[in-house]
Amino acid sequence: MECQCNQNDKKVSEKVYIPWENPSDSWKRVHIDFLEINQVKLLIIVDSFSKWIKCFAMGSTTATKVIEVLENCFCRFGSPEIMVTDNGLPFGAIEFKEYCEKNFIKLVHSPPYNPESNGLAERGVQTIKKLLIKISYRNTPTTTTGCSPSELIFNFKPKNHLSILKPPNILDKKKNINVTKYKVNDKVLVRNNLKGQKWLTGRIMKMIGTCSYLVLVGGKIRLMHVNKIKKSYLNDTVHPRKLE
């Protein structure tokens, strides 16, 4: 009993494989699955008749988002009669089941932990994965250097298909921006866009946001971007004035 409960899985030759029935036309039965590569989630849809593959970049994998993508796809190809999925969270959600019922789509789940049952989608996933790996290898960071081969040899990050799919992290970019900070009453020079000298003396009156300041220049208060301000080491006659 103990040995039987702990024995290895069946050999490949002992496993049962029952092929899906070939559909009579395109877009009768579709197989769908997810692929994640380089932190980009992709939804793969494969037509069982033509083997046509559709690939969509996903911002999230909720049932609502998956339905939105399927709606976009089905507007062009029409709704399939049968849709085969695994037992992932979005495909088992009540919202997803109701969507299939409303559109007269028979939803078929492959047995848990048996991806072979959704083999067509699995092959579609592998096909897309191989293509993406081929086109993105030189632009993918390695574990040893932390940088991509292209980044190291050319000293910049070339744009590729995956970098287009995955938007840059705006928060990370902000962390790397070195914004000069000025304090109230700091003497500065501000860019003069009118005729005359290029820089005028001023004094910081108030900080407005991250990159803007109110600056007292020639008796008038101006709203200036930090790019138009620089530190002054001149002796000037500008005096601070209290802001209301």
Side-chain angles (χ1 to χ4, degrees):
M1 179 70 176
E2 188 75 19
C3 293
Q4 189 171 2
C5 290
N6 292 281
Q7 64 183 340
N8 293 329
D9 195 10
K10 286 184 178 181
K11 297 177 181 179
V12 174
S13 58
E14 297 174 341
K15 291 185 178 181
V16 177
Y17 297 95
I18 301 177
W20 288 92
E21 181 181 348
N22 290 326
S24 58
D25 203 354
S26 60
W27 221 251
K28 295 287 186 183
R29 187 182 74 239
V30 298
H31 296 244
I32 64 178
D33 201 358
F34 286 112
L35 163 65
E36 182 172 347
I37 183 168
N38 287 4
Q39 298 182 336
V40 177
K41 277 279 190 180
L42 302 173
L43 179 67
I44 310 298
I45 306 175
V46 187
D47 173 39
S48 59
F49 178 79
S50 63
K51 308 303 184 286
W52 180 272
I53 299 177
K54 294 289 291 181
C55 180
F56 298 91
M58 305 291 291
S60 70
T61 57
T62 62
T64 301
K65 184 62 180 178
V66 172
I67 290 171
E68 179 184 324
V69 171
L70 291 178
E71 280 281 85
N72 181 275
C73 180
F74 295 165
C75 281
R76 297 178 174 85
F77 296 90
S79 299
E81 295 179 0
I82 302 173
M83 184 156 52
V84 183
T85 74
D86 62 14
N87 288 268
L89 289 176
F91 306 130
I94 295 177
E95 180 185 0
F96 192 80
K97 293 178 181 178
E98 290 178 346
Y99 168 77
C100 292
E101 290 174 1
K102 184 177 70 173
N103 289 277
F104 303 99
I105 301 172
K106 182 181 179 181
L107 180 61
V108 178
H109 291 297
S110 59
Y113 308 109
N114 192 59
E116 294 90 345
S117 297
N118 196 11
L120 189 59
E122 287 294 319
R123 287 194 293 275
V125 164
Q126 294 305 316
T127 298
I128 296 296
K129 187 174 183 179
K130 288 177 182 177
L131 288 173
L132 291 176
I133 288 175
K134 285 180 181 178
I135 64 175
S136 65
Y137 166 73
R138 293 177 178 176
N139 301 299
T140 302
T142 64
T143 55
T144 53
T145 65
C147 300
S148 67
S150 294
E151 190 177 352
L152 291 177
I153 198 167
F154 297 121
N155 200 29
F156 78 99
K157 293 182 179 180
K159 184 172 71 174
N160 61 63
H161 292 70
L162 288 180
S163 65
I164 294 172
L165 291 175
K166 184 181 179 183
N169 191 325
I170 297 175
L171 293 178
D172 288 345
K173 279 192 169 184
K174 286 184 177 180
K175 291 178 183 177
N176 297 327
I177 296 176
N178 185 18
V179 180
T180 303
K181 300 289 185 181
Y182 297 100
K183 300 190 297 293
V184 173
N185 291 331
D186 277 357
K187 292 189 296 182
V188 293
L189 295 175
V190 298
R191 183 65 173 170
N192 180 23
N193 294 320
L194 303 177
K195 290 184 179 180
Q197 63 188 49
K198 293 183 178 180
W199 296 89
L200 303 175
T201 57
R203 192 178 296 274
I204 298 294
M205 302 302 293
K206 188 176 182 180
M207 185 177 183
I208 306 294
T210 305
C211 302
S212 300
Y213 291 86
L214 293 179
V215 186
L216 180 62
V217 184
K220 296 181 179 180
I221 295 179
R222 299 184 185 181
L223 177 62
M224 304 293 299
H225 191 277
V226 70
N227 290 343
K228 304 295 182 181
I229 304 173
K230 64 181 182 179
K231 188 74 173 178
S232 172
Y233 300 97
L234 303 175
N235 292 321
D236 57 71
T237 57
V238 178
H239 300 288
R241 187 172 76 186
K242 184 179 178 181
L243 292 180
E244 299 297 333

